[in-house]
Each structure stands twice: as structure tokens, then as C-alpha cells.
Amino acid sequence: MRGNIQEHGPRSRVLVVLLLLLGLQLGALVAPAHACGCGAMVPDRNAHISVGRETSVVDWDGRTEQIVMRFTVASDTPRAAWIMPVPGRATVDLANEALFDELVRIAAPEHRERHHFWPRGGDWPFDDVDGAAAAPPGAVAPGDGVGVVGRERLGDFDVARLTATDPGALGDWLDENGFEMPAGLTGDLEPYVDRGWEYVAVRLAPREEGAVLTGTLDPLRLRFASDELVYPMRLSRRADSAQSLGLFVLAGHRMEPRSAIGGSEPEVTYAGRVTSPGGELGRLTGGQERFLTVLDQEFPDPSRINGDHELRAAAEDTPFRRVVWDDDLLTLGGVPVWLLTLGAVAAGASAAVLWRVWARRRDPVAPPAPIRVPPRVP
């Protein structure tokens, strides 16, 4: 798609680019700590981290749920952490980012071509205008209301799997182990403690000394027993700025959230059955058939998040694929049709004028009849 942005020349475009870059740099300097879409991202004190986009894959066979998360972050800190509640005992390992590439290809929109007659920005003669163009469970060692099920080092992640009978004790354990908790998060943990959930606390700690967390991090996979498909979101209400969430949901049927939980209405961008999954997708599902539902949702005001995403089967397994229209200028032999049309009209008008001139010269005008003067009356 070609945009409608117009500039007045190369100098104007350079000035706009410089202003945009300056704005992005200033925004990075003042960016607050973000909560991620699945838990609470907590950087070191006086450090800044932002999650530009969180994309997760959720697989559920009716008994076991798997969540594979991938974050793209920008920060000025070598350390940060997040905590994610889970309804059962979880195992955690690294996943292959190729899984996301496979799902993106499956859910890619259909491109259709259509033509326009008159030129737009990006078409000649406006082509100098910039265009704008989506581990096995371990033994629990209880202590003051917190049990450590296991502790593993996975790539750039230090992972602790915890149980807790007291949200305050859980907050104390996290503080004592280098997890700085944002104000109010302990209260948000209370509903999970009351329901007997467990927790996965992840410290993002680069193996290279002094390195900062930036770019796309290795995906993590959490696996736990669950008799319902749930995606934890409540802790994200502590985010300081708008959040964006993308979910690839794999289940027996097309799935839909029970509610918007305080965000915009979730948008389905793809729905379809995957009959013979292979590659990383096949490894995740055990080669079993799944129905893939892709959801996008925005949270302009994260403080309004009031629960976790509970997903249920839709009334029908209706397939859906987005259509993206590629607009192109109508041409004939590489020449814009509008130009050929105007040229033909101009040529026709010129021919008509020339024919009239030629016709007048070919048929000379007859002289007027002589004037007869009547005789003088005597």
C-alpha cells in the first residue's frame, strides 16, 4: 500500500527523519519499566527496560498447557526479572525461535492485487515522495511460606520455580534474591496464592559480563497441567505505559477470550486448522492436529486489566484469513494508462483542430453576391 505522505523536497524529508530519530532517542531516555503481557517485568533500581512487543504461543490439548514466550526488549540494564503465575507445577526450558517463524508463515495474510487509474504518492510523477508502507519436579523446600521447587540456568535466564502460601512471603523471597518488586504487586499476587497457584520467576541475566538486555531474547517454554486454557495477565496492570499482546493459540477448536479483561476487543487475525504440523510446531504439539487462532489485543490503560485471559471454544470452527490489497497503478506495456488516455485525448483534440483548418483551406469561401443598387426614381 502506498501512503499519502507528501514532502516538499529532499531537505524536508531529511529534516523529518532527524526529528523522528531525535524523538525516539528522547523516548528511550525516559522510557519507564514495563510489565510484560504475561507477568511483571522488573528491572534493577534506576534502570529502564521496555518490552516493544510480546508474542506468545499457547498450546492446550485439554489436559496440559504449554506457553512459549518471546520478548523484544530495549534496556540500559544487564539484569531484569519477571514473575509469572501458573495454575500447576511447571517445567521450564528453552524453545526454538523457528516456531514463531512457522506460525507466522501459516497465518500470513492473503495478498490480492488491485489497480488504480490516477497516480498516487509513490507513482510517477510523485515517485520522489516517501511512501508508508505487521525439568522434572524437584523437592519443595518450604521456608517462611515459600517453597523452591527448582532453580535452573537456561541460556541468559536464571529460572526459579516457586510455591507460596503468603503473597507477602513471596514478595520477601523475591526481594532477598535480587528481584525488585514494584509497589502494589504483592496485592496482585494474592488471588493466585488463594487459588494455590505456583510461580515461575525468571531473572534475565546475560552470560556475557557487562552486556545489556536488548533485541529479541531466546524463547522460553513453560509446561504445566491445566483443565482450562488460561493466559495469566493480571500482573500486567502494573505497567506504566500501553501494552500490546499477540497470541498464537493452538487447541482442538477455534478459541476466543471470555472477556477483554480491561483491554480493547481482541481481534482475530487468523483462524484455521493445522492438520499435519511439522518442524518446531510438530515438536510442540507432538504431531497432533490443532486449530490455530491468532489474537491481537491492545491495552491502552494497563491499570484497567482485571484478570487473566480465560479462553473457550468458539461456537463454530470458522476459518478466517486477512486479505491485504496491494494497490498498483494501472499500466499498459509499462506506461501508465492515465498518461496514455490523456495523450490520446490530446491527440484527438489536436487532430480535430487540424482537420477543421485543413477543411477550410480545401473549400475556399465563395465571394458574396454583388450588391445591386435600385434605379433612381424620377
Side-chain angles (χ1 to χ4, degrees):
M1 298 283 291
R2 293 185 171 90
N4 296 319
I5 301 174
Q6 295 187 2
E7 309 292 349
H8 296 290
R11 292 184 179 178
S12 298
R13 293 199 298 272
V14 170
L15 179 59
V16 169
V17 171
L18 291 176
L19 290 175
L20 288 174
L21 290 175
L22 179 60
L24 290 174
Q25 291 175 346
L26 291 175
L29 291 175
V30 300
H34 282 226
C36 62
C38 65
M41 182 76 75
V42 186
D44 286 349
R45 188 183 299 274
N46 298 324
H48 300 285
I49 186 169
S50 63
V51 180
R53 174 71 170 171
E54 180 210 345
T55 305
S56 294
V57 179
V58 182
D59 175 71
W60 185 61
D61 62 4
R63 301 180 304 276
T64 302
E65 181 173 341
Q66 300 180 86
I67 299 178
V68 182
M69 295 164 292
R70 183 176 66 174
F71 302 105
T72 301
V73 303
S75 74
D76 59 3
T77 177
R79 295 188 303 171
W82 57 265
I83 179 172
M84 182 175 182
V86 290
R89 182 64 49 85
T91 61
V92 186
D93 57 13
L94 290 177
N96 193 321
E97 63 181 12
L99 170 65
F100 294 88
D101 298 332
E102 293 172 10
L103 289 170
V104 167
R105 285 194 295 270
I106 292 173
E110 177 186 354
H111 284 260
R112 297 180 184 176
E113 186 174 308
R114 62 185 177 187
H115 296 88
H116 51 269
F117 182 82
W118 294 111
R120 303 176 182 176
D123 297 327
W124 185 88
F126 310 118
D127 51 5
D128 62 336
V129 179
D130 293 334
V140 177
D144 297 329
V146 178
V148 180
V149 177
R151 190 89 179 254
E152 299 92 13
R153 176 78 183 199
L154 301 173
D156 288 330
F157 304 102
D158 179 16
V159 181
R161 292 174 290 132
L162 310 170
T163 63
T165 57
D166 176 15
L170 178 58
D172 291 341
W173 187 95
L174 293 170
D175 285 336
E176 292 168 3
N177 287 270
F179 295 77
E180 187 173 334
M181 303 291 289
L185 188 61
T186 299
D188 292 330
L189 290 170
E190 188 170 354
Y192 299 113
V193 174
D194 292 342
R195 297 169 63 186
W197 283 34
E198 298 190 5
Y199 310 88
V200 176
V202 182
R203 183 196 304 276
L204 286 69
R207 287 164 290 186
E208 183 180 345
E209 186 68 24
V212 297
L213 296 165
T214 189
T216 300
L217 307 180
D218 291 333
L220 272 179
R221 182 181 69 156
L222 283 66
R223 188 173 186 269
F224 49 88
S226 180
D227 57 4
E228 62 178 355
L229 203 166
V230 59
Y231 190 75
M233 288 289 299
R234 182 182 282 109
L235 300 188
S236 297
R237 67 190 309 270
R238 295 296 163 185
D240 292 323
S241 61
Q243 300 290 286
S244 176
L245 175 66
L247 282 181
F248 293 90
V249 183
L250 296 158
H253 299 279
R254 175 169 171 165
M255 305 300 286
E256 62 184 12
R258 292 184 182 273
S259 72
I261 64 170
S264 64
E265 191 66 25
E267 177 188 3
V268 176
T269 60
Y270 177 84
R273 192 166 295 279
V274 184
T275 55
S276 300
E280 291 301 320
L281 179 56
R283 293 185 180 92
L284 180 71
T285 65
Q288 299 299 309
E289 178 179 300
R290 292 287 193 271
F291 196 101
L292 172 62
T293 311
V294 184
L295 300 169
D296 268 336
Q297 188 177 18
E298 303 295 327
F299 295 89
D301 182 3
S303 66
R304 300 183 61 183
I305 297 176
N306 54 28
D308 300 319
H309 262 319
E310 298 178 4
L311 295 104
R312 61 187 178 186
E316 297 181 358
D317 291 338
T318 306
F320 172 78
R321 185 185 295 273
R322 287 183 301 167
V323 174
V324 175
W325 291 99
D326 297 322
D327 287 335
D328 291 312
L329 183 66
L330 186 62
T331 61
L332 181 62
V335 180
V337 171
W338 70 267
L339 188 59
L340 294 174
T341 302
L342 292 181
V345 171
S350 299
V353 172
L354 291 175
W355 181 84
R356 292 183 64 181
V357 172
W358 176 80
R360 288 182 178 181
R361 290 180 177 178
R362 181 179 178 182
D363 299 326
V365 179
I371 299 174
R372 294 182 178 182
V373 178
R376 181 179 300 178
V377 178

